[in-house]
Amino acid sequence: MLHPVILSGGIGSRLWPLSREHTPKQLLPLMGEKTPLQTTIERLEGLPEQVAPWILCNEDHRFLVAEQLRQIQQTTTGIILEPVGRNTAPATAIAALAALDKDPDAILLVLPADHLIADIARFQHAVVQGLELAQDYLVTFGIVPLYPESGYGYIRGGKAIEGVESGLQVGAFVEKPDTETAKTYLDSGDYYWNSGMFIFSAERYLKTLGHFEPAILAACEAAYAGESIDLERDFIRLEETAFQSCPSQSIDYAVMEKTESAAVIPLDAGWNDIGSWSALWDLSAQDETGTVCRGDVLSESVSNSYLRAEYRLLAVLGVSDLIVVETADAVLVAHKDQAQQVKNIVTRLKHTQRAEVDLHRKVYRPWGSYELMDSEPRFQVKRIRVNPGASLSLQMHHHRSEHWVVVAGTANIHRDGEQFLLTENQSTYIPLGTRHRLENPGKIPLEIIEIQSGSYLGEDDIIRFEDEYGR
């Protein structure tokens, strides 16, 4: 059987301030209403003899991933939670171990969650070709290059493989070239962009990994052997200490560049890894001036620019070749030629421990979300949204009290042993040190305004007594 494996790691730092540690690019609606994770999964529909996909993601993203799967009514074979990021070779090894537990003949189709592919029929045709090779080769997909891109690694195609329409042995993997070298690659017709997509036998992959990188395989086997499973949500947690000890390595470095059994299937299907704001500009519908506007944008005498407003009116006048992205707590202004350097800003934010690198003002939780509306040293105001039927943990705070005002829906309040309902325009007070819980018993989302006051307002001042989400 074909076992799709969706790798939902990474944060896409070059798409800051939209992409952040806790809401990475694959979980954001970059192009339309759906996220790259959702479109990656939907791209699989119609492939032969496949099981529901395996999803590998950061543990911090688990509830957001589960919610996005629910939105498209997609089941999974399992959502495997990585306690730390260790790149694609260990992640794929874990998926291979899990797949072999269910199917000794499992074929893995490994796909990053953050790619765009315009021509799904061509993609699926290439996958079917890859299936023909997957028992004898470790197969990757090489993107037919459209221009001399210096930001991608390349694959040089080798001898044709008999019996497969376009299968080639891999001649060599090539690091990211300079522009002039990339031009020679393009002119030769023998080189392909390295897509990071693969198809191979789970058993063959593990054997090859164990031969070249035994420490990776040993750590993954130990981490998987110590797994714990949340059956209600299909979460599979790895043994943290073992996985942390695993070397961080990509599939390319750990296996593909070392094996003599690497093959490449050329793919010309409108592929893009959405790696920067300039790539997003190129992919989006542009007006007659070459400008892309998303959100509440007012532009005049603007050309060849990408303008995106998430919260407020964005007014732009008399500029060209710019990227301007507005969010609730940060604004990026960059020349399009500098789009790849946004990651340098993210690095500086990390060094100074700025919160803007991790979280948006709107933060997703398994029960819904909250959004910070205002904050000062001794108070802050949040808008809280609780999904129908969902409940926050039974908790208390040592350093703050809270006022809740219901603005939509019905709230079921638990407060120091008493229980009561609040409806629109009603409010209550939660004193410091009081055990309390907020529930939504209704059929529509519950929205409240929460006013916190006290000497310390951090999210770590939460003492949980009961929590249905296992936090």
Side-chain angles (χ1 to χ4, degrees), residues 367 391-394 437 464-471:
W367 42 261
S391 169
L392 280 67
S393 60
L394 178 64
R437 168 175 269 162
R464 291 189 174 94
F465 302 100
E466 296 175 11
D467 182 45
E468 64 180 88
Y469 307 106
R471 295 172 296 170

Side-chain angles (χ1 to χ4, degrees), residues 34-46 71-72 74 120 124:
K34 293 181 179 178
T35 68
L37 171 66
Q38 291 171 324
T39 58
T40 298
I41 292 171
E42 291 181 340
R43 195 177 301 140
L44 301 170
E45 185 177 350
Q71 290 172 1
I72 61 172
Q74 174 65 55
I120 296 175
Q124 293 194 352

Side-chain angles (χ1 to χ4, degrees), residues 12-32:
S13 59
R14 287 173 293 181
L15 288 175
W16 184 89
L18 202 60
S19 182
R20 307 200 183 180
E21 291 276 359
H22 289 276
T23 47
K25 67 173 180 174
Q26 63 270 20
L27 302 178
L28 294 167
L30 297 175
M31 296 286 294

